[in-house]
Amino acid sequence: MTTYQEFIIQNEERDGVRFTWNMWPSSRLEATRLVVPLGCLFTPLKERSDLPLINYEPVLCTRASCRAILNPFCSVDYRAKIWLCNLCLQRNNFPPQYAGISEQLQPAELSPQFTTIEYTLLRAPVSPPVFLFVVDTCMDDDDMIALKESLQMALSLLPTDALVGLITFGRMVHVHELNCENMARSYVFRGTKDLTAKQVQDMLGLTKQQSNMKAVPGNPNISQQQTNTFYNKFIQPLSACDMSLTDLLGELQRDPWPVSQGKRPLRSTGAALSVATGLLETLYPNTGARIMLFIAGPCTQGPGIIIDEELKHTIRSHHDIETDNAKYMKKAIKFYESIASRSSVNGHVIDLYSAALDQTGLHEMKYCTNYTGGHMVMSDSFNTSLFKQTFQKVFTKDNKNEYRMNFGATLEVKTSQEVRVCGAIGSCVSLVQRASNVSETELGIGGTNAWKICGLYPNSTLSLFFEIVNQQPGTTQPISSDQRGYVQFITHYQHLSGFKRIRVTTISRNLIDATSHMPTIVASFDQECASVSMARIAVYRADTEEGSDILRWLDKMLIRLCQKFAIYEKDNPNSFQLIDTFTLYPQFMYHLRRSQFLQVFNNSPDESAFYRHYLLVEDLTQCLVMIQPILYAYSFNGPPEPALLDSSSILPDRILLMDTFYHLLIYHGETVAQWVKAGYQDLPEYENFKQLLQAPVGDATEILQNRFPMPRYIVTEAGGSQARFLLYKVNPSQTHTNCGWGQAAGAPILTDDVNLQTFMDHLKKLAVSTST
């Protein structure tokens, strides 16, 4: 008999699904009383080595309002060749090609171990993906050289059949022709002008070319030839333009317009993005494509302006946003959101690669990545290893030698009649498909049971939320013990092999009467999934609500959860006890309240947008690391061991390795730092000390190799300025107020923040109080 924890992990490894509750209440009222909403974290393309290769079409339920796909939970009559849909109970005949099936000879989709299965549609080859590089030329020469090298390296890593294009921008926007021999030619747009899609198409001659094409219906060869010529002007197969594009990139220069003292360079990011979107939506609608935008500063003119060119006007901070003192922000957000919507409709991805010491406007542009499933990368310079290695990882392949990026995905959620879909949170947009299983209650992107995900990767994870529907309202019929709820996730996507694929995951959970089986429901709680789900709801709401309101909401939900599921006597905090399945949840909430996702102090709006983006798209393990960082301790007392994320773990004879997902920090305790300065590691008799210093570096290197985007790598010591990255993350159990200097084992933290113990004491008081 497996424990719930084993069951949860098995399901995650097999299907990429983790539910907040693994037993579902049979009534809507009982489900709402659970406090944490019924939801799941779903990784559509969870990597599995044992998935069979299926090159035929899936079998669909014949009921028009259902159209679910045959799965292991369906009842099958092998003699009559009939199957019963487990979602709508419709009887369906098997198609003729299934005539030979029997209980001994089952098709893969009915095999119990393949609750997740993938179909490749060979009848539907798709055109190769498009990569459109949109490059800022207002940057230092060193940055320019480094970026050109990275782009030339990218050309060698792209699929050989990929189509590529190049747009550069500074004060003007240049759309480069790629079929010119011996001469560089480009179409130039003014960066101050807000061009509509129609104007972009007219100016680039796209619409005109199409009308020419239709003018000669008698000769299809001419029209085909014209089409190719016209397509090839700006977007060409990499195999045809590799050399000319490499030369073109090599000859790129800084923007020639002079920049006066005390001014910013005039940068037309918004206009360039608008032209790129107009170009792709005309030539390649509903085709896999990536706009890869490289920026070295904020947009300073034209549509999408973030700050004007005067350096004396500083770019907006969180304080400016709170006091409504951000002059251009609302208009810029509206502009970039419209660009993101246009791209997502056509299945095009927008990546943002930002490299500057100051902010570049990621806060305003965040919808470009959040709507389209693009990457958001933030570094100090294009000349850093952080940017170079992150950009290289965009084109990595998996162990089957296939690219890890996929395009133009749609996720549709089918459910049995007891369950309805409330919404989704992640890098997706609604397809506004109001089916019968869509709930009136919206949570996240709701009002639909299907979403578009333009860029999909093996680690892309969405949060989906559901509600239970009463089957027999007003009746007192006991629910049958074997009643089950079903959810089917159907993911269509374009694979870089050139074919469309359909990944189908079907899951089932028991529905039980919560009033008589509450201990069973309590035991089925997944506190890790619940913590990430609540964190995502909080971050999703942080876009439109005040930070203090969200903290109050989190506190309220935590108190209600403890009141519902803890064991205690009224008004006696000492009697308070949490059941095993809930013990970690308050700790995660404590760290979430202190995290950079909700506390904007000492973070710029761009940093907040960057941090929040990855919490909404990464898988459960990485999200937990973001909420509560991992700490490892290295010392002479034994092998490396996990340490508490607490100030008491910071000891003078220890080396600590902290992973926050965004930062990877090695911290040398005071004594260790003195030994390093004395050079003991270079003496042969202190070989063991040298090995101790190397151990965390080796572990950090392993993490760096597998992480996207590359975290910032920091090596520091006690008293070092960058030790602040560690000190502000640990639980301040020892502060300047509760221990004298030199007394405590550990490092006292200079903070007024409450520690975890005080937080738990207050939680216990409020949970057991009769007045709350």
Side-chain angles (χ1 to χ4, degrees):
M1 181 69 186
T2 57
T3 64
Y4 267 112
Q5 195 53 40
E6 288 167 345
F7 169 78
I8 287 165
I9 288 164
Q10 279 170 11
N11 272 273
E12 185 182 20
E13 286 174 355
R14 188 181 65 220
D15 299 323
V17 180
R18 275 182 79 157
F19 273 88
T20 50
W21 302 93
N22 289 287
M23 284 283 191
W24 299 346
S26 53
S27 77
R28 182 177 179 172
L29 183 64
E30 287 298 337
T32 55
R33 286 178 180 162
L34 293 179
V35 186
V36 173
L38 174 61
C40 72
L41 289 168
F42 177 52
T43 309
L45 300 188
K46 176 80 175 173
E47 288 181 295
R48 267 185 72 178
S49 55
D50 61 335
L51 275 182
L53 202 65
I54 295 182
N55 295 329
Y56 52 81
E57 304 268 332
V59 177
L60 304 182
C61 173
T62 52
R63 180 170 288 176
S65 61
C66 177
R67 309 297 284 165
I69 291 175
L70 181 65
N71 62 78
F73 298 107
C74 295
S75 303
V76 178
D77 183 339
Y78 288 100
R79 189 171 295 172
K81 301 291 184 283
I82 287 171
W83 62 280
L84 189 72
C85 175
N86 58 319
L87 300 185
C88 71
L89 307 181
Q90 168 84 359
R91 288 167 67 81
N92 303 282
N93 292 313
F94 277 101
Q97 62 267 34
Y98 282 72
I101 66 167
S102 65
E103 285 188 51
Q104 287 74 38
L105 202 65
Q106 289 182 344
E109 58 264 47
L110 287 173
S111 178
Q113 77 262 35
F114 294 132
T115 45
T116 292
I117 200 153
E118 189 164 84
Y119 301 87
T120 302
L121 305 184
L122 296 177
R123 66 168 174 78
V126 288
S127 57
V130 183
F131 294 86
L132 180 55
F133 299 111
V134 183
V135 181
D136 177 4
T137 54
C138 300
M139 61 177 83
D140 295 339
D141 288 332
D142 289 350
D143 265 20
M144 196 76 204
I145 292 165
L147 178 57
K148 289 195 293 192
E149 286 172 358
S150 291
L151 291 172
Q152 287 167 335
M153 175 270 300
L155 294 181
S156 65
L157 298 174
L158 285 173
T160 48
D161 63 342
L163 303 171
V164 289
L166 177 66
I167 295 175
T168 58
F169 66 94
R171 187 169 185 169
M172 302 291 180
V173 179
H174 299 255
V175 184
H176 295 269
E177 285 192 10
L178 299 181
N179 61 347
C180 297
E181 299 268 330
N182 309 322
M183 179 179 68
R185 243 180 20 174
S186 62
Y187 285 56
V188 182
F189 293 83
R190 276 174 57 190
T192 50
K193 211 164 177 192
D194 191 358
L195 299 166
T196 63
K198 180 79 171 64
Q199 287 172 310
V200 171
Q201 290 157 21
D202 289 345
M203 289 176 173
L204 291 175
L206 309 183
T207 315
K208 187 176 155 203
Q209 190 69 45
Q210 284 180 319
S211 63
N212 286 353
M213 191 174 78
K214 289 174 186 168
V216 279
N219 191 341
N221 293 332
I222 294 175
S223 100
Q224 187 60 46
Q225 191 180 348
Q226 283 184 348
T227 312
N228 286 340
T229 311
F230 135 75
Y231 273 49
N232 288 351
K233 235 186 216 181
F234 309 111
I235 308 282
Q236 274 207 325
L238 181 62
S239 52
C241 70
D242 192 2
M243 290 303 291
S244 60
L245 185 54
T246 304
D247 293 344
L248 192 58
L249 286 170
E251 289 163 13
L252 277 186
Q253 300 294 322
R254 278 180 66 178
D255 192 45
W257 294 90
V259 181
S260 311
Q261 187 85 28
K263 305 259 177 146
R264 292 183 176 88
L266 288 167
R267 186 181 280 108
S268 318
T269 314
L273 206 48
S274 182
V275 170
T277 308
L279 178 66
L280 286 184
E281 68 188 358
T282 309
L283 298 182
Y284 298 99
N286 299 311
T287 301
R290 290 193 97 86
I291 295 172
M292 307 182 92
L293 176 67
F294 301 87
I295 45 174
C299 179
T300 51
Q301 69 165 9
I305 179 172
I306 284 155
I307 185 71
D308 58 34
E309 62 174 328
E310 294 289 342
L311 275 171
K312 63 185 178 190
H313 300 150
T314 55
I315 194 165
R316 80 274 163 293
S317 63
H318 275 297
H319 179 68
D320 293 328
I321 295 168
E322 283 161 22
T323 55
D324 204 17
N325 191 27
K327 182 178 173 184
Y328 302 102
M329 188 188 77
K330 285 180 182 169
K331 196 174 174 187
I333 287 176
K334 192 176 174 186
F335 171 78
Y336 290 113
E337 192 173 2
S338 72
I339 293 279
S341 299
R342 280 167 57 192
S343 286
S344 59
V345 163
N346 287 293
H348 300 155
V349 183
I350 301 176
D351 291 337
L352 301 178
Y353 298 94
S354 159
L357 292 169
D358 197 2
Q359 298 181 73
T360 57
L362 292 181
H363 172 71
E364 284 81 358
M365 301 164 82
K366 62 190 171 195
Y367 293 112
C368 292
T369 52
N370 291 352
Y371 282 11
T372 67
H375 300 306
M376 187 187 284
V377 175
M378 190 169 71
S379 64
D380 295 339
S381 159
F382 287 119
N383 204 15
T384 57
S385 59
L386 189 149
F387 166 75
K388 289 175 182 176
Q389 291 177 35
T390 298
F391 187 53
Q392 197 169 345
K393 284 185 179 184
V394 172
F395 307 101
T396 53
K397 296 182 179 181
D398 60 16
N399 48 18
K400 294 180 188 168
N401 203 32
E402 293 179 340
Y403 286 94
R404 299 172 70 89
M405 64 173 90
N406 303 283
F407 293 94
T410 58
L411 171 65
E412 188 176 3
V413 179
K414 313 267 188 193
T415 60
S416 54
Q417 58 189 1
E418 307 84 7
V419 187
R420 284 201 181 143
V421 182
C422 294
I425 294 178
S427 273
C428 59
V429 288
S430 169
L431 283 174
V432 200
Q433 188 170 297
R434 276 207 85 92
S436 56
N437 69 336
V438 173
S439 166
E440 294 298 315
T441 311
E442 290 189 18
L443 183 49
I445 304 163
T448 181
N449 72 337
W451 297 266
K452 190 155 196 167
I453 313 163
C454 303
L456 193 60
Y457 319 95
N459 60 329
S460 299
T461 303
L462 277 82
S463 289
L464 294 148
F465 299 97
F466 305 93
E467 74 171 3
I468 302 294
V469 185
N470 283 32
Q471 284 314 105
Q472 299 111 355
T475 64
T476 54
Q477 279 187 351
I479 190 146
S480 64
S481 59
D482 61 346
Q483 187 173 353
R484 299 173 78 81
Y486 296 96
V487 179
Q488 187 172 72
F489 306 96
I490 303 171
T491 311
H492 293 251
Y493 68 97
Q494 176 186 332
H495 189 264
L496 281 190
S497 61
F499 294 101
K500 288 214 163 168
R501 293 187 178 183
I502 303 175
R503 177 83 69 106
V504 183
T505 297
T506 314
I507 63 96
S508 154
R509 296 288 184 273
N510 284 350
L511 286 152
I512 59 173
D513 183 5
T515 46
S516 54
H517 294 88
M518 187 50 82
T520 313
I521 288 179
V522 167
S524 77
F525 182 64
D526 182 347
Q527 53 192 334
E528 293 180 345
C529 177
S531 301
V532 174
S533 298
M534 294 299 271
R536 285 191 171 194
I537 295 169
V539 164
Y540 183 80
R541 289 174 57 172
D543 254 2
T544 52
E545 296 178 36
E546 289 284 328
S548 54
D549 292 343
I550 292 160
L551 289 177
R552 269 197 296 275
W553 173 77
L554 277 175
D555 291 344
K556 188 172 124 192
M557 299 298 271
L558 178 58
I559 292 163
R560 280 180 56 203
L561 191 78
C562 290
Q563 285 173 331
K564 173 84 176 169
F565 297 108
I567 301 163
Y568 58 89
E569 296 165 14
K570 288 278 185 200
D571 293 319
N572 180 5
N574 295 330
S575 65
F576 182 92
Q577 192 180 351
L578 279 168
I579 299 155
D580 283 354
T581 49
F582 289 83
T583 47
L584 294 174
Y585 184 78
Q587 191 176 311
F588 284 126
M589 289 300 107
Y590 169 76
H591 287 290
L592 176 62
R593 290 176 91 265
R594 298 182 74 219
S595 70
Q596 68 273 41
F597 305 117
L598 303 179
Q599 301 289 349
V600 296
F601 177 76
N602 210 24
N603 281 320
S604 68
D606 278 16
E607 285 173 316
S608 294
F610 172 72
Y611 294 140
R612 288 170 178 174
H613 170 77
Y614 282 100
L615 185 73
L616 296 179
V617 299
E618 281 293 332
D619 61 27
L620 179 131
T621 310
Q622 305 297 357
C623 288
L624 286 175
V625 172
M626 295 177 210
I627 295 167
Q628 182 176 325
I630 298 173
L631 198 62
Y632 295 102
Y634 302 77
S635 70
F636 288 125
N637 301 332
E641 56 183 2
L644 285 173
L645 190 66
D646 192 287
S647 56
S648 61
S649 298
I650 304 172
L651 299 173
D653 61 344
R654 255 184 179 181
I655 301 173
L656 295 175
L657 171 64
M658 184 177 73
D659 179 10
T660 73
F661 183 83
Y662 308 101
H663 300 100
L664 206 54
L665 177 135
I666 295 174
Y667 172 92
H668 294 159
E670 196 175 348
T671 310
V672 174
Q674 287 167 358
W675 292 343
V676 170
K677 280 176 190 160
Y680 287 152
Q681 70 277 11
D682 302 326
L683 302 173
E685 62 267 35
Y686 292 106
E687 182 65 29
N688 58 344
F689 179 54
K690 185 177 181 180
Q691 287 170 1
L692 181 70
L693 289 175
Q694 283 299 320
V697 175
D699 291 346
T701 307
E702 199 174 319
I703 295 169
L704 286 167
Q705 282 170 351
N706 300 319
R707 177 73 46 83
F708 181 92
M710 285 282 286
R712 200 174 289 270
Y713 181 59
I714 300 162
V715 180
T716 187
E717 60 182 46
S721 68
Q722 292 191 309
R724 67 186 188 278
F725 289 104
L726 171 68
L727 300 181
Y728 96 100
K729 280 290 182 189
V730 294
N731 167 37
S733 60
Q734 298 150 335
T735 68
H736 59 293
T737 56
N738 64 8
C739 66
W741 292 100
Q743 292 177 8
I749 310 290
L750 301 169
T751 182
D752 292 326
D753 275 3
V754 296
N755 59 37
L756 181 58
Q757 187 58 51
T758 312
F759 177 79
M760 286 303 295
D761 290 344
H762 279 81
L763 176 61
K764 288 174 187 177
K765 279 179 197 166
L766 289 164
V768 304
S769 170
T770 45
S771 58
T772 42

